[in-house]
Amino acid sequence: NAQLHKRVTNFGLCRTFKPVSLFTTVTLSPDHIVPGNNVNVTLTGKLDRDVPAFSSDVLEVVFLEPKPDPEFPVPIVDPFSIELCIATGITCPILKGTEIHTTVPVPVPDAKVLPEKYLIAVDVREN
């Protein structure tokens, strides 16, 4: 008999781009992403700069194809983004160094588009 061992998704620093924020925790639920469904992305972290009350900064989640060059992955589909100041649990303005915590439902590309191996990037950027 064979046993299926579930792999846990691990997040680390991106070597390609300098982050605007460093998330101390990023988790997925369910943590075996199902193509074509939503995955809840929960993150906690501190922003590296102030975010004003009417900021257009966005929280972005991108599914990436690691080939042909894992140092410069290519988006599989358009990034999911939500204005940071309207994400659940976040109130702007946010002072630099303030810890934020939110969970956002993110649509997962369907099985026809999502390759067997892929990367997920989560960041906050200016829009």
Side-chain angles (χ1 to χ4, degrees), residues 82-104:
I82 183 172
E83 288 183 33
L84 182 64
C85 294
I86 65 168
T88 301
I90 296 179
T91 303
C92 292
I94 304 168
L95 297 177
K96 176 182 177 179
T98 301
E99 186 169 271
I100 61 171
H101 178 83
T102 190
T103 299
V104 293

Side-chain angles (χ1 to χ4, degrees), residues 21-89:
S21 58
L22 294 176
F23 297 115
T24 52
T25 313
V26 178
T27 58
L28 306 176
S29 179
D31 192 3
H32 184 73
I33 292 176
V34 179
N37 289 347
N38 282 352
V39 61
N40 289 316
V41 178
T42 300
L43 56 95
T44 302
K46 296 180 180 182
L47 299 179
D48 292 350
R49 60 180 168 72
D50 292 343
V51 176
F54 300 103
S55 171
S56 61
D57 287 6
V58 294
L59 169 62
E60 186 173 74
V61 179
V62 187
F63 289 86
L64 301 161
E65 171 71 56
K67 299 176 184 178
D69 183 354
E71 291 293 320
F72 298 99
V74 176
I76 295 167
V77 294
D78 288 339
F80 167 85
S81 64
I82 183 172
E83 288 183 33
L84 182 64
C85 294
I86 65 168
T88 301

